[in-house]
Amino acid sequence: MRFPRRSMLRWNWGQVPTDGDVVPFSQLNASSGGAGRRLRKHHYLSITYMEGFTGPDGRVWAYYDDKPDDPQPSQLGSIGYRTLYYSVPSKDGGRDDTSWEDHWNRVETVWPVTVAAARAKRLSPAISFNLLGMVAILMARVPAARERHEYLLAQKMRTEIQALEAIGALPADLAEYAGKLDRVPVGVNPEQSLANMPDDIMGSGDLAFRMGFEILHNKTDLPFLTTDNPVCFYDPDQPVHARIPYPEDGEIELIFPIDADMVLRGSTRLRPVNSIMRHRVLSEKAKVRKINRTVAQFGYRLYIARDRSCDDLVQRYAATVPTVHVDVEFEPGHLRMIWRHLFAQRPILSPYVNTPEKAARLTKAMERDGFFD
């Protein structure tokens, strides 16, 4: 397991100058505010980010993938979190519930003043740095990213065991699963996907150094939508129905809702790279609607809105998510996994079994489903 205090603090962020009241988050310390502090509720969408999408009553409309036609007015503290989602084993054999949360907190602390500066149409390296910092952590910490890594790891484990079966070397303790390995549940410890977050954060930096950025100010009465997977990037030349998420080369456009009235747009056609170079005003509802369509398409399980103007978009895209498809090629002495991004149904992750009680419940469920018949 890779720990955030070793990985994030060794990165060289460079010397980003302060811009008046906007302090680069790299100048803040990642401090837990007291040894032994316990924090069970881990938000993958920070409350300070979601505050930008609230209505006059301080609540948002929360849509869930399984009931996209039944949005609920929700308090921010009740959505966008999972229990102990960023907890890792500590060196003393206990549990560290705060280290990753402390690093998110650096970006979240500077968020309100950075958004205010963006709303005032200011431009500076500090503003760019903090906005792109939020993009970076939301590319890494959200369930869409973590579950993608867990799914790939589960497929890798299954494929390796199938390769052993193909050469007659299946371990004795797995013999009862012979011929059925394509249906055996393979659960992955969720802690393992935490180790991918530093690489995903660094990957966001690589992407930022390929494109320039602008802030689009929404002057219509149609607010921007956001989701639990708010960083969207794609080939802008592909039609929406044929779009492939997360391209690695070619022309790329990025959309990230800052709040209900502003969107960060990145493009490989804009320069200079890694910097917000201008502000523009959107006064046409059709253009706002187009952005909301993209945001809805990239949503994973949770959609957040100031009003009900995106009901139809949420309902249209709730059944599919950005995920991966895996193909496996077996060759003598060689095994190859090929995976690609696509929009499809959300993959079902098998539960992680780490106690005899969980193992017994899983075995009973498999027996009930006729797996061993």
Side-chain angles (χ1 to χ4, degrees), residues 244-265:
I244 297 173
Y246 313 133
E248 297 183 357
D249 50 31
E251 296 291 346
I252 299 176
E253 181 172 75
L254 180 147
I255 290 293
F256 169 64
I258 297 172
D259 63 17
D261 300 312
M262 291 186 293
V263 153
L264 179 69
R265 175 181 175 267

mmCIF file of all heavy atoms in Angstrom, residues 244-265:
data_model
loop_
_atom_site.group_PDB
_atom_site.id
_atom_site.type_symbol
_atom_site.label_atom_id
_atom_site.label_comp_id
_atom_site.label_asym_id
_atom_site.label_seq_id
_atom_site.Cartn_x
_atom_site.Cartn_y
_atom_site.Cartn_z
ATOM 1 N N ILE A 244 -16.054 8.159 -27.152
ATOM 2 C CA ILE A 244 -15.247 7.261 -26.326
ATOM 3 C C ILE A 244 -14.604 8.104 -25.226
ATOM 4 O O ILE A 244 -13.940 9.102 -25.520
ATOM 5 C CB ILE A 244 -14.166 6.544 -27.152
ATOM 6 C CG1 ILE A 244 -14.831 5.655 -28.209
ATOM 7 C CG2 ILE A 244 -13.258 5.705 -26.250
ATOM 8 C CD1 ILE A 244 -13.849 5.033 -29.181
ATOM 9 N N PRO A 245 -14.797 7.748 -23.959
ATOM 10 C CA PRO A 245 -14.239 8.574 -22.891
ATOM 11 C C PRO A 245 -12.726 8.403 -22.748
ATOM 12 O O PRO A 245 -12.159 7.376 -23.122
ATOM 13 C CB PRO A 245 -14.953 8.048 -21.641
ATOM 14 C CG PRO A 245 -15.272 6.620 -21.971
ATOM 15 C CD PRO A 245 -15.559 6.592 -23.450
ATOM 16 N N TYR A 246 -12.098 9.435 -22.254
ATOM 17 C CA TYR A 246 -10.703 9.418 -21.825
ATOM 18 C C TYR A 246 -9.697 9.006 -22.906
ATOM 19 O O TYR A 246 -8.906 8.083 -22.724
ATOM 20 C CB TYR A 246 -10.535 8.502 -20.604
ATOM 21 C CG TYR A 246 -11.559 8.730 -19.533
ATOM 22 C CD1 TYR A 246 -12.235 7.661 -18.935
ATOM 23 C CD2 TYR A 246 -11.874 10.023 -19.089
ATOM 24 C CE1 TYR A 246 -13.182 7.864 -17.938
ATOM 25 C CE2 TYR A 246 -12.824 10.235 -18.098
ATOM 26 C CZ TYR A 246 -13.474 9.157 -17.529
ATOM 27 O OH TYR A 246 -14.412 9.361 -16.544
ATOM 28 N N PRO A 247 -9.693 9.676 -24.048
ATOM 29 C CA PRO A 247 -8.691 9.355 -25.072
ATOM 30 C C PRO A 247 -7.290 9.723 -24.594
ATOM 31 O O PRO A 247 -7.114 10.619 -23.756
ATOM 32 C CB PRO A 247 -9.121 10.217 -26.257
ATOM 33 C CG PRO A 247 -9.826 11.386 -25.639
ATOM 34 C CD PRO A 247 -10.542 10.821 -24.448
ATOM 35 N N GLU A 248 -6.299 9.037 -25.119
ATOM 36 C CA GLU A 248 -4.913 9.278 -24.718
ATOM 37 C C GLU A 248 -4.153 10.108 -25.733
ATOM 38 O O GLU A 248 -3.056 10.596 -25.435
ATOM 39 C CB GLU A 248 -4.200 7.950 -24.477
ATOM 40 C CG GLU A 248 -4.800 7.141 -23.332
ATOM 41 C CD GLU A 248 -4.038 5.866 -23.060
ATOM 42 O OE1 GLU A 248 -3.065 5.599 -23.808
ATOM 43 O OE2 GLU A 248 -4.407 5.137 -22.131
ATOM 44 N N ASP A 249 -4.684 10.253 -26.931
ATOM 45 C CA ASP A 249 -3.986 11.035 -27.954
ATOM 46 C C ASP A 249 -5.008 11.717 -28.853
ATOM 47 O O ASP A 249 -6.213 11.575 -28.676
ATOM 48 C CB ASP A 249 -3.026 10.148 -28.767
ATOM 49 C CG ASP A 249 -3.693 8.885 -29.287
ATOM 50 O OD1 ASP A 249 -4.915 8.923 -29.568
ATOM 51 O OD2 ASP A 249 -3.022 7.856 -29.406
ATOM 52 N N GLY A 250 -4.504 12.460 -29.822
ATOM 53 C CA GLY A 250 -5.392 13.195 -30.710
ATOM 54 C C GLY A 250 -5.938 14.448 -30.059
ATOM 55 O O GLY A 250 -5.459 14.900 -29.021
ATOM 56 N N GLU A 251 -6.967 15.016 -30.674
ATOM 57 C CA GLU A 251 -7.597 16.205 -30.117
ATOM 58 C C GLU A 251 -8.426 15.823 -28.886
ATOM 59 O O GLU A 251 -9.151 14.820 -28.902
ATOM 60 C CB GLU A 251 -8.493 16.872 -31.161
ATOM 61 C CG GLU A 251 -7.738 17.397 -32.367
ATOM 62 C CD GLU A 251 -6.852 18.594 -32.023
ATOM 63 O OE1 GLU A 251 -7.016 19.170 -30.932
ATOM 64 O OE2 GLU A 251 -6.005 18.943 -32.860
ATOM 65 N N ILE A 252 -8.321 16.622 -27.838
ATOM 66 C CA ILE A 252 -9.033 16.342 -26.583
ATOM 67 C C ILE A 252 -9.685 17.621 -26.087
ATOM 68 O O ILE A 252 -9.074 18.699 -26.132
ATOM 69 C CB ILE A 252 -8.081 15.789 -25.506
ATOM 70 C CG1 ILE A 252 -7.452 14.465 -25.958
ATOM 71 C CG2 ILE A 252 -8.824 15.584 -24.186
ATOM 72 C CD1 ILE A 252 -6.422 13.912 -24.994
ATOM 73 N N GLU A 253 -10.920 17.483 -25.614
ATOM 74 C CA GLU A 253 -11.614 18.572 -24.934
ATOM 75 C C GLU A 253 -11.962 18.109 -23.523
ATOM 76 O O GLU A 253 -12.341 16.951 -23.316
ATOM 77 C CB GLU A 253 -12.880 18.962 -25.688
ATOM 78 C CG GLU A 253 -13.642 20.123 -25.054
ATOM 79 C CD GLU A 253 -14.787 20.609 -25.929
ATOM 80 O OE1 GLU A 253 -15.818 19.905 -25.984
ATOM 81 O OE2 GLU A 253 -14.642 21.664 -26.572
ATOM 82 N N LEU A 254 -11.829 19.000 -22.564
ATOM 83 C CA LEU A 254 -12.131 18.699 -21.159
ATOM 84 C C LEU A 254 -13.211 19.660 -20.666
ATOM 85 O O LEU A 254 -13.160 20.858 -20.962
ATOM 86 C CB LEU A 254 -10.872 18.819 -20.301
ATOM 87 C CG LEU A 254 -11.003 18.549 -18.800
ATOM 88 C CD1 LEU A 254 -9.722 17.910 -18.264
ATOM 89 C CD2 LEU A 254 -11.312 19.820 -18.002
ATOM 90 N N ILE A 255 -14.160 19.118 -19.924
ATOM 91 C CA ILE A 255 -15.210 19.916 -19.302
ATOM 92 C C ILE A 255 -15.245 19.581 -17.816
ATOM 93 O O ILE A 255 -15.276 18.399 -17.435
ATOM 94 C CB ILE A 255 -16.594 19.626 -19.935
ATOM 95 C CG1 ILE A 255 -16.668 20.164 -21.362
ATOM 96 C CG2 ILE A 255 -17.713 20.209 -19.089
ATOM 97 C CD1 ILE A 255 -16.623 21.677 -21.464
ATOM 98 N N PHE A 256 -15.237 20.621 -16.979
ATOM 99 C CA PHE A 256 -15.337 20.432 -15.534
ATOM 100 C C PHE A 256 -16.221 21.534 -14.950
ATOM 101 O O PHE A 256 -15.838 22.709 -14.987
ATOM 102 C CB PHE A 256 -13.949 20.471 -14.887
ATOM 103 C CG PHE A 256 -13.988 20.539 -13.381
ATOM 104 C CD1 PHE A 256 -14.516 19.499 -12.633
ATOM 105 C CD2 PHE A 256 -13.494 21.654 -12.707
ATOM 106 C CE1 PHE A 256 -14.556 19.568 -11.251
ATOM 107 C CE2 PHE A 256 -13.533 21.732 -11.321
ATOM 108 C CZ PHE A 256 -14.061 20.687 -10.588
ATOM 109 N N PRO A 257 -17.404 21.186 -14.424
ATOM 110 C CA PRO A 257 -18.251 22.216 -13.808
ATOM 111 C C PRO A 257 -17.609 22.755 -12.527
ATOM 112 O O PRO A 257 -17.331 21.994 -11.595
ATOM 113 C CB PRO A 257 -19.552 21.468 -13.494
ATOM 114 C CG PRO A 257 -19.504 20.210 -14.304
ATOM 115 C CD PRO A 257 -18.055 19.866 -14.424
ATOM 116 N N ILE A 258 -17.354 24.050 -12.477
ATOM 117 C CA ILE A 258 -16.807 24.690 -11.273
ATOM 118 C C ILE A 258 -17.931 24.939 -10.278
ATOM 119 O O ILE A 258 -17.810 24.653 -9.089
ATOM 120 C CB ILE A 258 -16.107 26.006 -11.643
ATOM 121 C CG1 ILE A 258 -14.921 25.731 -12.569
ATOM 122 C CG2 ILE A 258 -15.666 26.760 -10.389
ATOM 123 C CD1 ILE A 258 -14.282 27.000 -13.144
ATOM 124 N N ASP A 259 -19.009 25.480 -10.756
ATOM 125 C CA ASP A 259 -20.238 25.627 -9.985
ATOM 126 C C ASP A 259 -21.391 25.731 -10.967
ATOM 127 O O ASP A 259 -21.198 25.480 -12.178
ATOM 128 C CB ASP A 259 -20.168 26.812 -9.004
ATOM 129 C CG ASP A 259 -20.004 28.168 -9.684
ATOM 130 O OD1 ASP A 259 -20.252 28.276 -10.910
ATOM 131 O OD2 ASP A 259 -19.641 29.136 -9.003
ATOM 132 N N ALA A 260 -22.565 26.081 -10.499
ATOM 133 C CA ALA A 260 -23.731 26.110 -11.384
ATOM 134 C C ALA A 260 -23.652 27.207 -12.431
ATOM 135 O O ALA A 260 -24.429 27.199 -13.391
ATOM 136 C CB ALA A 260 -24.998 26.273 -10.554
ATOM 137 N N ASP A 261 -22.693 28.136 -12.271
ATOM 138 C CA ASP A 261 -22.589 29.267 -13.192
ATOM 139 C C ASP A 261 -21.279 29.320 -13.976
ATOM 140 O O ASP A 261 -21.110 30.196 -14.819
ATOM 141 C CB ASP A 261 -22.744 30.583 -12.418
ATOM 142 C CG ASP A 261 -24.082 30.674 -11.709
ATOM 143 O OD1 ASP A 261 -25.102 30.395 -12.353
ATOM 144 O OD2 ASP A 261 -24.095 31.001 -10.506
ATOM 145 N N MET A 262 -20.353 28.406 -13.697
ATOM 146 C CA MET A 262 -19.060 28.420 -14.393
ATOM 147 C C MET A 262 -18.609 27.002 -14.718
ATOM 148 O O MET A 262 -18.825 26.073 -13.931
ATOM 149 C CB MET A 262 -17.980 29.084 -13.532
ATOM 150 C CG MET A 262 -18.137 30.566 -13.329
ATOM 151 S SD MET A 262 -16.710 31.289 -12.457
ATOM 152 C CE MET A 262 -16.889 30.534 -10.839
ATOM 153 N N VAL A 263 -17.978 26.884 -15.868
ATOM 154 C CA VAL A 263 -17.371 25.621 -16.300
ATOM 155 C C VAL A 263 -15.943 25.897 -16.734
ATOM 156 O O VAL A 263 -15.657 26.911 -17.395
ATOM 157 C CB VAL A 263 -18.182 24.991 -17.462
ATOM 158 C CG1 VAL A 263 -17.299 24.121 -18.353
ATOM 159 C CG2 VAL A 263 -19.331 24.158 -16.927
ATOM 160 N N LEU A 264 -15.054 24.995 -16.353
ATOM 161 C CA LEU A 264 -13.682 25.033 -16.867
ATOM 162 C C LEU A 264 -13.634 24.179 -18.129
ATOM 163 O O LEU A 264 -14.027 23.015 -18.114
ATOM 164 C CB LEU A 264 -12.715 24.476 -15.825
ATOM 165 C CG LEU A 264 -11.233 24.437 -16.225
ATOM 166 C CD1 LEU A 264 -10.667 25.850 -16.330
ATOM 167 C CD2 LEU A 264 -10.426 23.608 -15.235
ATOM 168 N N ARG A 265 -13.181 24.783 -19.214
ATOM 169 C CA ARG A 265 -13.046 24.056 -20.477
ATOM 170 C C ARG A 265 -11.580 24.008 -20.864
ATOM 171 O O ARG A 265 -10.891 25.030 -20.872
ATOM 172 C CB ARG A 265 -13.838 24.726 -21.593
ATOM 173 C CG ARG A 265 -13.644 24.077 -22.974
ATOM 174 C CD ARG A 265 -14.422 24.777 -24.072
ATOM 175 N NE ARG A 265 -14.115 24.193 -25.376
ATOM 176 C CZ ARG A 265 -13.169 24.659 -26.199
ATOM 177 N NH1 ARG A 265 -12.438 25.721 -25.851
ATOM 178 N NH2 ARG A 265 -12.937 24.070 -27.358
#
